[in-house]
Amino acid sequence: MRLASRLDDLGTETAFAVAAAAADWKARGNEVYPFHLGDLDFPLAEHIVEAMNRAIADGRTGYCPGPGIPELREALADDIGGRRGLQLDPAEITVMTGGKPVITKFVQAVMNPGDEVLYPNPGFPIYESQIEYHGGVARPYRYLPTDDGFRIDLDQVRELITDRTVAIIYNDLQNPISAESSDQEREAIAQLAQEHDLWVLSDEAYFEMRYEGESRSIASLPGMRERTVILYTFSKKFAMTGSRLGCAVAPKELSQVFGTMNTNDESCTTHYVQWAGIAALRGPQEPAQEILRTLRGRRDAAVELVNDTPGMSVETPRSTFYLFPDVTEAIQIVQAEGLADFAEQALHHTGVSFCTRNHFGRPQPGEDRRYIRFAYSGLPEHRIREGLTRLRDWVGSF
C-alpha cells in the first residue's frame, strides 16, 4: 500500500535514535551513562501529584475545552506574563500537550507550502522536520563560537531573508548549545522581524532553567508582542516531561486558530493533568528551586571533567542543562574517523552515550570544528563524575 510522499520529509528527535544504540549496548551487559537524552530524573513534586489524583477522584477525566480549562489559562497568563513583564489575557493562552505541538501548529498556521522559515542550526531537530513536512522551505541560520559561548550569525540571517520568508524560529537559552542572546542580539532579531514583517516563534522552554543572570523574552520588546508566539512547557522547570503539558502564548486571533487545531488534533489536553499544572504554577515553588540547585551542581561537575579531558573544552553555560563541548582535538587523539565513530568508540570503551552536533541539523558549509552534546539532567552527580572520568581516562590513555 502507498504512503504519503511527504513522509520522506518527516524527521525525528534524534536523541531517541542514540538511545537505541545505548539500550542495545546496555542489553549486552555493559554499563551505560546516558548523557544523550534531556529527560529529568526528579520525582514529580508531591503537591502536583496530589492535585492530579484529586482531579481524577473528582471525576475530571472527560473532555474539556480545546484551548484549555479557564483556571489553567488564567494561571498561565499570570505566571508567564508576570515573569516577562507582559499583561496577558487568558484568551492569548492555548494549552497543548507539551511544547512540541506549539512548533507544529505555529508552522501550520503561518506557513504555506513553498514559504521559507528561518530556524537555528544546530538546533532542536523538530523545527526542520515540521517545516519540511508541511511543505515549507527550511532555511538554517548558524551560530559562531566566541570566547564566551556562541552568538547568532546576524549577517547570515539578514542574507537568508527573502520575499518568501514568513517566519523565524528563535530559541534563546538554546538546545543543544546552551547559547543565550545578549540584549543587542535579541533586539537585532526583533528589528529584522519587524522590518520584514515576519512571525517569530520564541521557544522559551528553558526560560526559567538558568543558574545566573535574568531571562528576557523577545515578546516584551516594543512591536513584538503582536507578531510573536511564545512556546511554554511544564517539562523542564517542574520535571513534568511525561505529563505532556505546555502552551502557546499568541495574539488572540492566532490563539483562536490554535484552539481549533487542538479540537481537530487531540480534542483537548488531558483534563486532570491541567489541574496538576495549576498546582505547579500556584503551589509551592521550593521543589522547582531544588531541581535547579541540583542541576547547577551537576553542571559544575560536568564542566570540570569535560575541561579536564584532553582535546575537549567548553564554556560554563548559565542556563539549560546541556554542555556542547568542542571535541575536535579529542577525535584526533583517539584516531576516530569522525563524530559518529568517536561516539561509537566512546560508548564501547567507556559506556558514555551522547549526541553529536550532527544530531541537531545538517552541518552547514564552513564548519571546521567538531562538537558533541552532553545532557546532564538525567544522571545524579556521582554518575556524572563516574562516566566522565571514564571518558577522560580513555582519551588520556592514547
Side-chain angles (χ1 to χ4, degrees):
M1 299 295 292
R2 290 182 182 175
L3 297 177
S5 59
R6 65 177 174 271
L7 292 172
D8 295 337
D9 295 319
L10 187 63
T12 186
E13 187 164 355
T14 46
F16 291 109
V18 180
D24 177 70
W25 186 244
K26 184 175 182 180
R28 299 187 206 177
N30 300 293
E31 185 74 62
V32 170
Y33 301 89
F35 287 91
H36 54 270
L37 190 59
D39 203 353
L40 296 108
D41 62 341
F42 302 93
L44 206 54
E46 221 171 276
H47 68 283
I48 298 175
V49 175
E50 290 174 357
M52 191 181 305
N53 289 339
R54 186 166 55 251
I56 293 171
D58 290 344
R60 302 184 191 277
T61 56
Y63 291 125
C64 61
I69 61 175
E71 295 87 347
L72 179 56
R73 297 174 81 188
E74 291 169 6
L76 284 163
D78 291 343
D79 188 84
I80 296 172
R83 296 180 188 279
R84 291 160 179 78
L86 299 171
Q87 188 71 35
L88 295 179
D89 188 316
E92 297 173 274
I93 307 292
T94 310
V95 177
M96 297 190 189
T97 55
K100 278 182 184 173
V102 180
I103 302 171
T104 301
K105 289 167 185 172
F106 172 83
V107 168
Q108 288 178 300
V110 308
M111 185 197 78
N112 287 310
D115 286 344
E116 299 175 0
V117 177
L118 277 56
Y119 72 99
N121 178 343
F124 191 44
I126 303 303
Y127 303 147
E128 180 183 79
S129 171
Q130 288 302 299
I131 296 166
E132 294 185 343
Y133 179 67
H134 290 289
V137 180
R139 297 292 191 195
Y141 62 87
R142 63 176 164 253
Y143 285 78
L144 301 174
T146 71
D147 291 339
D148 62 348
F150 294 88
R151 292 287 175 261
I152 294 172
D153 186 345
L154 291 170
D155 289 336
Q156 186 200 32
V157 173
R158 294 185 184 98
E159 292 173 0
L160 287 170
I161 298 173
T162 72
D163 58 1
R164 298 291 298 173
T165 308
V166 295
I168 180 168
I169 297 176
Y170 171 63
N171 183 199
D172 197 357
L173 311 186
Q174 209 252 29
N175 171 21
I177 64 179
S178 295
E180 59 177 292
S181 285
S182 64
D183 290 342
Q184 293 77 13
E185 182 175 272
R186 189 180 304 105
E187 289 164 4
I189 295 293
Q191 182 179 1
L192 287 171
Q194 292 178 65
E195 285 178 2
H196 298 277
D197 196 22
L198 305 180
W199 282 101
V200 176
L201 174 60
S202 182
D203 185 341
E204 300 181 8
Y206 298 92
F207 190 86
E208 294 172 65
M209 306 305 293
R210 62 154 57 251
Y211 313 107
E212 296 96 18
E214 181 182 354
S215 295
R216 294 181 175 86
S217 174
I218 195 170
S220 65
L221 296 179
M224 290 305 295
R225 183 170 169 182
E226 57 267 32
R227 65 176 64 253
T228 302
V229 174
I230 295 173
L231 181 157
Y232 177 90
T233 178
F234 286 80
S235 293
K236 317 306 179 188
K237 177 180 178 180
F238 301 110
M240 294 177 68
T241 53
S243 300
R244 308 315 306 143
L245 187 62
C247 80
V249 182
K252 288 182 183 179
E253 182 180 1
L254 185 54
S255 188
Q256 290 174 355
V257 171
F258 288 155
T260 302
M261 288 179 167
N262 280 4
T263 302
N264 278 265
D265 291 347
E266 304 92 21
S267 292
C268 58
T269 301
T270 306
H271 194 174
Y272 52 84
V273 171
Q274 294 191 53
W275 287 95
I278 295 169
L281 294 169
R282 303 282 199 200
Q285 296 303 298
E286 175 57 31
Q289 294 164 5
E290 180 59 29
I291 288 172
L292 204 56
R293 283 192 290 268
T294 301
L295 288 173
R296 179 172 184 159
R298 295 178 182 183
R299 177 203 66 175
D300 293 344
V303 168
E304 173 192 338
L305 283 159
V306 166
N307 284 328
D308 200 32
T309 301
M312 295 175 61
S313 62
V314 70
E315 298 296 324
T316 301
R318 304 199 305 168
S319 61
T320 78
F321 38 69
Y322 305 110
L323 301 184
F324 199 68
D326 186 326
V327 297
T328 307
E329 280 73 35
I331 289 174
Q332 297 170 355
I333 290 171
V334 304
Q335 300 175 25
E337 294 181 2
L339 280 170
D341 186 39
F342 180 67
E344 183 177 2
Q345 287 196 45
L347 176 63
H348 293 168
H349 285 94
T350 72
V352 174
S353 176
F354 50 79
C355 294
T356 74
R357 181 266 177 269
N358 295 346
H359 290 104
F360 299 97
R362 306 176 186 108
Q364 299 195 58
E367 291 188 22
D368 57 359
R369 306 298 295 177
R370 301 293 177 260
Y371 297 88
I372 61 175
R373 189 199 75 170
F374 291 123
Y376 53 83
S377 54
L379 295 91
E381 186 175 328
H382 75 275
R383 293 269 294 160
I384 290 172
R385 291 188 176 278
E386 185 177 303
L388 293 184
T389 296
R390 287 190 180 191
L391 184 66
R392 179 197 66 189
D393 292 349
W394 170 62
V395 176
S397 68
F398 285 83

